[in-house]
Amino acid sequence: MNVCEKGVIFALSYELERLLINGLFILLPIFIFQMFWVDRNRVKPDLKMPAFLGLLILSAILCMSFPVEFSKGFLFDLRHIPFIIGGLYGGYLFSIPIYLAILGYWFFFGGDGIFVNVPVITLIAVCVPLISKKYLAQNMKKKIILSITIALISSLLIILLANMLWKIPVNHENFPFYYFIAQGLSMWIGVYLIETMVRNYQMRKELVKVEKMSIINQISASISHEVKNPITITRGFVEALGDEESPEKRREYIGYALEELQRAEDIIQGFLKLTRPEEPCLKNINISKELAYTVHLLKPYAKSFSVKIETDGIENDCFILGDSQKIRQCFINLIKNAIEAMENGGKLIIRLKTSSGKVLIDIIDNGVGMTSYELENLQTPYFTTKEKGTGLGMVIVFNIIKTLKGDIKVKSEKGKGTHFTISFPLVSR
Ligand code: ADP
Ligand code: MG
């Protein structure tokens, strides 16, 4: 290989590098936009479009700053890509500022290609926004075909004008051909990424909406199901009152009806607490005592499931900042679940220990265990695998632990059992 050939290969690889950098400048605004704007809810929606416009201008200017010169006199870059994308997605609101930015760049920094380029970019600035509305109504495939066609036409115009004004042959060492291909390919990748980004964003929004609707459905189904029972019973007693003569019986019926009405009220209160958790009343509490109390309370329940409870360390006093009502509610839910997981009896281990400024409480059962799907849904309101379950117990547990600045971990294996570990920061007595 002689020196001249080596020189050509070196120049070619240098220009290829520049071409790749140009490609990167096309991708950059799309990625930056996706990272910092699309998914950030705190960014105001009316700031998103100006941000995208700014990024497109930046991309066009960066492309112009690093042009590719495959052969002496044939200089090109991919500035048309962000420019056409701007015109297609933002109409004149985008194409005019990008147009002015490109002209401004020329004005301040100069450039040789001005006579070839100005007619083409003016044509893009005027014509592309005209089809913007139609373009936006197409599906992804048609958008890609349309945008590539525009990009190819613009590159052809450049090649023809360069031929007419500078007498650069249209087959000049194949370089116009490379430009043509690079322009089409970059447009394809750019539009494909934008469309995928928009589609993912819309899908996520749709998903959140569906999820909200399903929670509303679940809540209303659950409330009506729970409240219907006491109402039906009350109605029965009130009807019976009309036919009843004996004052004693009437008093008894009124008592039952009032009791059922109270139950309905409690159920509604319970739902309200779930959606609007009240502020806990934080005090120094002896968590060991609360745990021992709950275990004592649930012993008869465990017995009815033939579950043996084994405790370890719960007699040692440990203090945390908490709310004894809430802590009890939390223990009751966890221990009840563990007992219910062992329908045919089993052993429930409840262990309390301290370690590096924390109190750790293990609740271990050898019951039915959970699949990974069940584990994932543990915090989902109304998720239950039990016939008479409410699916609210664990939601309450997670909420309480969060408000008391504690932590909860769970390990579970289907058919083997479940191990919950909850921890709270210790405080001095
Ligand atoms: P519920 O007890 O009314 O079903 P929870 O919110 O208390 O509602 O529990 C939700 C689900 O989590 C249960 O239906 C059960 O499938 C699963 N679960 C919770 N704790 C355990 C456990 N210790 N072992 C097995 N499954 C459990
Ligand atoms: Mg439960």
Side-chain angles (χ1 to χ4, degrees), residues 333 337 340 386 393:
N333 279 320
N337 277 348
E340 286 161 6
K386 297 168 197 168

Side-chain angles (χ1 to χ4, degrees), residues 64 67 73-77 79-80 99-123 157-158 161-162 165-166:
M64 288 165 74
F74 195 80
L75 209 81
F76 75 86
D77 57 63
R79 85 190 69 155
H80 288 180
Y99 179 70
L100 293 178
I102 293 176
L103 287 184
Y105 184 89
W106 260 320
F107 185 74
F108 287 110
F109 300 102
D112 321 324
I114 195 146
F115 298 111
V116 171
N117 256 305
V118 167
V120 181
I121 65 161
T122 309
L123 205 67
L157 286 175
I158 292 276
L161 280 174
L165 297 176
W166 295 337

Side-chain angles (χ1 to χ4, degrees), residues 267-279:
I267 289 166
I268 290 169
Q269 282 298 334
F271 281 113
L272 289 181
K273 267 188 198 153
L274 192 77
T275 47
R276 265 191 279 124
E278 27 179 84
E279 278 295 305

